Amino acid sequence: MAEPRRTIGEHGIIGDLETAALVARDGTIDYLCWPSLDSPTIFADLLDGERGGAFSIEPEIDQPRHLHLYVPDTNVLLTRWMGAEGSAEVVDLMPQPEARRRAKNDARCLIRRVTVTSGTVAFAMRCTPRFDYAREVPEVAHIEGGVRFSGQHLSLCLFASVPLDRQHGGAGARFTLSKGESAWLVLGDEGMPRPDDAAVLAQITATTQEWRSWSGKATYKGRWREQVLRSALTLKLLTSARHGSIAAAATFSLPEAEGGERNWDYRATWIRDASFTVYAFLRLGFTEEAEHFYRWVGARILASGRGNALQILYALDGEDAGDEQELPHLRGYADSRPVRIGNAAREQTQLDIFGALLDSAYLSNKYGPAIPHEGWQHVCRLVEHVIEHWQEPDAGIWEMRSAPRHFLHSRVMCWVALDRAIRLAKKRSLPAPLVAWAEARDAIVDDVWKNFRHPEHGYFVQERGGTALDAALLMLPLVRFVSSTDPVWLKTLEAIGAQLCDDGLVYRYRSDDGLAGPEGAFTTCTFWYAECLARAGRLDDAQMLLAKGVAYGNDLGLFAEETDIRGLALGNFPQALTHLAFISAAHFLDRKLDPSHRPVWQP
């Protein structure tokens, strides 16, 4: 197995609320889809270092120290090279729609501005886009002030303040700067106007101001403010300004175990993950994102037609997600094959999504504007679907590719769907068959307590009649299905700690899931476990586990989907579910550790 040129955790993320790029600590952009997050890649060196394509800037500095940091309260990324005889830095950003309006420039682009901070430094730049998931090498032509990359269905322009050399399938430049001098490179859609120094600086200023304007709306004032705000900014990058949808992660096919087959595409909107993300935004005072998402999901419900359920996941524009396909021409991160795009989970039944959606809808209505009549009709349709189907097996939250089973987490989230709909109807005096809904809700409670407990030890188990555990059970007290100090729950919590936890790492399950090979520890579960410990009164243990979980992020505070046994990043990156689970755990621990803490928003 080949060692990756750059590890998953060595990256920062920038974006414009339409797509996002990963920037490695050495200053290379080695992952970017264009024009949208779920479009084909133009840079995919992270997935194949030979043919994927990249945008690199390399200073000639002897043994530099590499540093990564964000401009405070923004998604503007700074990469620094610090040497004994010279130092330099590059600012990377993508102006989002509001910033483009501020700067009076509608062109979508990626801006890289290099500055020497000490000494005199020579640089080598190379930009080698590879279109259509590296299946197409573009033609390169000189234009005034830059070059054009032309493919069958896509053309991009690269402008620069330094001369560019046309190369096969790419462009390069060599230039030297002294202390205080800068150079810039701007990559964007064909037809964008050639920028000048003033235009580039205006875009950087507008983008910085816009991010600070957004992050300044956060109401969270707790002890983990810096980390929580970084998680919020990361979640914002996964939202679509155009559609209101929210991606599960920025990437595809980064492996859950190096060299393994668990390589999935997360560049889509999962109803569950997006609903939980809305919950996190509401906690922090960001209500516009919730309203935008509910307009998007309402359109999905209408499009599904009567008698049909919501799909598990959608493309970001609300259309059907793409078929799962393999890209055999790509080597894969650390030789992890197959490289996949699309996700076959779209064909699965996952009953828990209705609970996640209605829980966030309930909270949005509790702390935001009242639900409109049409929105309530949507809720009623979803409730009727849950009542008809809650007793059926499904693929579960972890999208098992084995035969459908009766998972406890799915059963409980059906209870959540009914419970929150009943609460919402009562709170807003909305018309509903409350007696029938309550009977179905209570039937689920009876089923869970009778059929989902270990036959010998009595704690809750993963599936009906089984004995295995599942970290998804950590959601039971978080959604208030069971008291966090109930004796049966405390037995369950203790069993999860003994069987699924390993030195601060938490695994999803140990049972068969229909796939070959191992997977890493699931970072979301670490934060769920920490919050459950806090709710059970074990505050010291919760604080320590939260600290370990934070340390599993990278130096920028970004979390991947999973980690290996050393706590190094695995899986798609950054992952929304982990960032929102951290926000939830930090929010709750603040309330427990500081009796005087009064959050603006409290579930």
Side-chain angles (χ1 to χ4, degrees):
M1 181 173 58
E3 287 292 324
R5 185 181 303 178
R6 304 171 197 90
T7 65
I8 295 169
E10 291 177 353
H11 291 81
I13 184 173
I14 59 173
D16 62 358
L17 309 183
E18 294 183 65
T19 190
L22 297 188
V23 186
R25 196 178 291 129
D26 67 359
T28 300
I29 295 176
D30 57 4
Y31 179 89
L32 173 60
C33 298
W34 195 275
S36 300
L37 192 69
D38 53 359
S39 298
T41 55
I42 61 171
F43 301 128
D45 204 56
L46 184 60
L47 290 162
D48 190 318
E50 294 180 359
R51 58 178 65 86
F55 190 170
S56 62
I57 297 174
E58 299 179 12
E60 295 180 6
I61 297 175
D62 185 41
Q63 296 182 325
R65 182 186 179 194
H66 297 89
L67 296 176
H68 242 172
L69 63 151
Y70 281 105
V71 174
D73 300 338
T74 78
N75 280 314
V76 176
L77 186 63
L78 194 66
T79 304
R80 306 198 70 197
W81 302 273
M82 301 186 70
E85 298 182 357
S87 298
E89 61 190 31
V90 58
V91 172
D92 285 309
L93 65 141
M94 298 175 70
Q96 69 274 60
E98 285 299 322
R100 297 199 295 269
R101 280 191 278 273
R102 279 184 188 236
K104 300 179 180 179
N105 186 339
D106 290 334
R108 292 191 56 212
C109 62
L110 164 67
I111 297 174
R112 314 200 74 185
R113 186 170 186 266
V114 186
T115 303
V116 169
T117 56
S118 69
T120 297
V121 180
F123 295 87
M125 183 283 298
R126 194 155 186 259
C127 182
T128 56
R130 296 293 180 262
F131 295 167
D132 191 25
Y133 297 110
R135 289 180 288 207
E136 182 181 18
V137 178
E139 296 182 0
V140 186
H142 276 295
I143 57 176
E144 185 178 357
V147 298
R148 179 190 297 112
F149 304 110
S150 299
Q152 186 175 359
H153 302 293
L154 178 67
S155 292
L156 299 173
C157 292
L158 175 65
F159 293 108
S161 62
V162 295
L164 297 177
D165 297 324
R166 183 169 62 89
Q167 303 172 351
H168 173 66
R174 298 191 68 85
F175 54 96
T176 300
L177 303 172
S178 297
K179 180 179 180 179
E181 294 180 336
S182 298
W184 50 260
L185 302 115
V186 179
L187 178 69
D189 288 323
E190 183 180 28
M192 74 172 179
R194 177 187 175 187
D196 55 21
D197 291 354
V200 170
L201 286 173
Q203 290 273 46
I204 294 173
T205 299
T207 302
T208 303
Q209 291 175 343
E210 188 58 35
W211 281 121
R212 284 179 170 161
S213 175
W214 183 82
S215 60
K217 299 174 184 176
T219 56
Y220 176 80
K221 308 298 182 185
R223 63 187 66 201
W224 290 280
R225 186 183 184 281
E226 183 177 348
Q227 296 99 322
V228 165
L229 188 57
R230 176 52 50 204
S231 287
L233 283 160
T234 303
L235 292 175
K236 180 64 173 176
L237 281 176
L238 298 176
T239 67
S240 168
R242 179 180 302 180
H243 304 296
S245 53
I246 306 171
T251 59
F252 66 94
S253 220
L254 293 180
E256 297 177 12
E258 290 188 4
E261 68 165 328
R262 300 167 185 265
N263 316 313
W264 316 114
D265 189 346
Y266 283 3
R267 301 168 303 153
T269 296
W270 268 255
I271 296 298
R272 173 202 312 109
D273 298 49
S275 298
F276 285 155
T277 301
V278 166
Y279 186 85
F281 278 138
L282 288 170
R283 272 190 156 146
L284 303 178
F286 299 111
T287 58
E288 291 181 5
E289 287 72 18
E291 294 170 13
H292 201 183
F293 172 71
Y294 287 125
R295 287 196 296 272
W296 179 89
V297 82
R300 308 288 75 73
I301 296 171
L302 281 177
S304 67
R306 290 197 172 273
N308 297 316
L310 276 173
Q311 296 178 29
I312 305 309
L313 60 103
Y314 294 86
L316 299 179
D317 63 3
E319 297 298 319
D320 290 346
D323 293 334
E324 186 168 293
Q325 304 175 46
E326 295 182 4
L327 301 179
H329 66 285
L330 290 179
R331 184 175 184 174
Y333 177 88
D335 288 338
S336 304
R337 297 186 182 92
V339 174
R340 293 186 179 95
I341 56 173
N343 201 304
R346 71 175 195 164
E347 306 294 337
Q348 291 182 344
T349 297
Q350 297 174 22
L351 293 170
D352 67 294
I353 67 169
F354 303 104
L357 179 59
L358 293 187
D359 192 20
S360 64
Y362 167 72
L363 293 169
S364 180
N365 277 268
K366 187 174 181 181
Y367 299 100
I371 189 170
H373 175 75
E374 185 178 54
W376 179 242
Q377 298 305 308
H378 295 164
V379 168
C380 292
R381 283 179 53 193
L382 295 179
V383 170
E384 291 304 317
H385 181 85
V386 171
I387 290 174
E388 291 175 11
H389 298 282
W390 69 263
Q391 299 182 64
E392 298 173 3
D394 71 346
I397 183 175
W398 307 131
E399 302 183 340
M400 301 286 195
R401 298 208 171 191
S402 52
R405 291 140 71 180
H406 292 272
F407 289 106
L408 175 54
H409 175 266
S410 297
R411 196 63 45 95
V412 166
M413 294 306 289
C414 287
W415 173 88
V416 170
L418 292 165
D419 180 73
R420 301 317 190 257
I422 291 169
R423 291 180 185 224
L424 181 54
K426 291 180 177 178
K427 179 176 177 60
R428 298 294 189 188
S429 299
L430 297 166
L434 292 180
V435 173
W437 288 7
E439 288 176 350
R441 178 195 60 186
D442 296 345
I444 295 174
V445 174
D446 185 59
D447 178 54
V448 168
W449 283 95
K450 285 182 178 178
N451 299 314
F452 289 84
R453 294 173 63 186
H454 194 285
E456 179 181 354
H457 303 295
Y459 53 70
F460 292 116
V461 291
Q462 179 185 52
E463 61 179 309
R464 187 174 68 187
T467 58
L469 284 165
D470 185 337
L473 304 185
L474 293 166
M475 288 295 293
L476 268 61
L478 304 189
V479 298
R480 303 186 182 226
F481 177 82
V482 65
S483 165
S484 56
T485 57
D486 184 286
V488 173
W489 169 249
L490 293 178
K491 279 186 179 182
T492 308
L493 185 62
E494 183 179 354
I496 289 173
Q499 299 180 37
L500 299 181
C501 299
D502 183 3
D503 193 25
L505 301 169
V506 183
Y507 293 82
R508 293 188 290 183
Y509 46 79
R510 303 289 192 185
S511 54
D512 176 55
D513 60 4
L515 294 167
E519 66 168 9
F522 206 73
T523 43
T524 297
C525 298
T526 294
F527 295 121
W528 284 351
Y529 189 53
E531 183 170 349
C532 285
L533 290 172
R535 288 176 180 266
R538 297 169 56 182
L539 294 182
D540 290 344
D541 293 339
Q543 285 189 83
M544 192 67 251
L545 187 60
L546 188 72
K548 289 180 178 179
V550 168
Y552 300 147
N554 68 6
D555 54 340
L556 293 168
L558 304 179
F559 298 113
E561 177 187 9
E562 300 189 5
T563 72
D564 67 11
I565 194 65
R566 300 166 296 170
L568 298 177
L570 288 172
N572 286 307
F573 175 88
Q575 190 203 29
L577 194 61
T578 303
H579 282 278
L580 63 91
F582 163 67
I583 290 171
S584 178
H587 195 277
F588 184 82
L589 267 166
D590 272 315
R591 291 163 53 192
K592 283 294 192 180
L593 294 171
D594 183 2
S596 65
H597 179 72
R598 292 292 182 268
V600 175
W601 186 89
Q602 180 174 324

